């Protein structure tokens, strides 16, 4: 039998499944998966093109090795086994500063976050009316909109992008009313 478990793959600590691209051909077309991990094969270990569902213990390891072994060839041919490595990489870590306050006459808000090496991040505001000037890997300048100042705060979300599924982190910036100076007719400050 010819056994091909497919190429080595990457899996992220924040993703739960890996699509296996195995195949068995020749005297038999059936096979069975086994592995060093404790995850599950879906729909079952006898499907060469199964989905491997990573377990909580799997994602703590740097690598899980899975083996596809031919079955059903009877006594004519020996079983053939080949392995595939699932290399586990860390999810992106996204950090943002603590909530902070700016004055309404500041016009811009500097946003500085960090994302893990190998990832970039982009900022959005689900409730802001301003505009962004993004700067990689995870910074931005936000120009406040009129409703931002009227609302008194703006929420921001930093989202990672890269190989692994995105992670997010958020912060709120409070906006204080700008001071108002009134000068009366006698040129004295009131």
């Amino acid at each position: 039998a010819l056994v091909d478990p497919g190429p080595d793959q990457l899996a992220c600590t924040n993703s739960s499944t890996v699509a296996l691209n195995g195949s068995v051909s020749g005297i038999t077309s059936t096979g069975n998966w086994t592995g060093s991990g404790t995850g599950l094969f879906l729909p079952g270990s006898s499907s060469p093109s199964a989905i491997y569902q990573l377990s909580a213990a799997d994602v703590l390891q740097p690598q899980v090795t899975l083996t596809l072994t031919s079955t059903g060839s009877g006594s004519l041919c020996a079983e053939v086994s080949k392995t595939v490595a699932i290399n586990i990489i860390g999810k992106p870590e996204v950090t943002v500063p603590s909530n902070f306050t700016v004055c309404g006459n500041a016009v811009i808000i500097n946003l500085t976050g960090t994302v893990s090496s190998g990832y970039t991040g982009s900022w959005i505001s689900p409730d802001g009316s301003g505009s962004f000037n993004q700067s990689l890997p995870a910074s931005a300048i936000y120009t406040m909109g009129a409703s931002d100042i009227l609302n008194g705060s703006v929420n921001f979300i930093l989202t990672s992008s890269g190989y692994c599924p995105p992670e997010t982190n958020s912060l709120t910036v409070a906006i204080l009313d700008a001071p108002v100076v009134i000068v009366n007719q006698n040129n004295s400050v009131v």
Side-chain angles (χ1 to χ4, degrees), residues 1-29:
L2 299 171
V3 174
D4 180 5
D8 289 350
Q9 297 192 46
L10 293 175
C12 302
T13 57
N14 65 338
S15 59
S16 60
T17 60
V18 176
L20 302 174
N21 298 308
S23 65
V24 179
S25 59
I27 195 168
T28 182
S29 61

Side-chain angles (χ1 to χ4, degrees), residues 10-166:
L10 293 175
C12 302
T13 57
N14 65 338
S15 59
S16 60
T17 60
V18 176
L20 302 174
N21 298 308
S23 65
V24 179
S25 59
I27 195 168
T28 182
S29 61
T30 60
N32 195 51
W33 286 102
T34 57
S36 66
T38 57
L40 300 173
F41 295 95
L42 305 171
S45 61
S46 61
S47 173
S49 59
I51 303 290
Y52 183 73
Q53 184 175 351
L54 299 161
S55 70
D58 288 346
V59 297
L60 298 176
Q61 305 302 316
Q63 184 180 76
V64 173
T65 302
L66 306 177
T67 303
L68 179 59
T69 302
S70 64
T71 59
S73 59
S75 60
L76 295 175
C77 297
E79 294 178 339
V80 176
S81 295
K82 292 203 175 166
T83 61
V84 61
I86 308 298
N87 296 298
I88 313 293
I89 58 175
K91 69 178 182 175
E93 297 295 328
V94 178
T95 57
V96 297
S98 299
N99 295 343
F100 60 94
T101 302
V102 297
C103 186
N105 62 1
V107 181
I108 64 167
I109 299 172
N110 288 305
L111 300 167
T112 56
T114 59
V115 291
S116 306
S117 178
Y119 295 92
T120 58
S122 60
W123 290 92
I124 63 164
S125 176
D127 58 359
S129 64
S131 61
F132 286 94
N133 182 4
Q134 305 274 349
S135 177
L136 296 178
S139 297
I141 295 173
Y142 179 78
T143 303
M144 288 188 274
S147 66
D148 295 337
I149 298 166
L150 291 174
N151 292 335
S153 68
V154 183
N155 295 298
F156 295 100
I157 300 170
L158 177 60
T159 303
S160 68
S161 60
Y163 180 79
C164 291

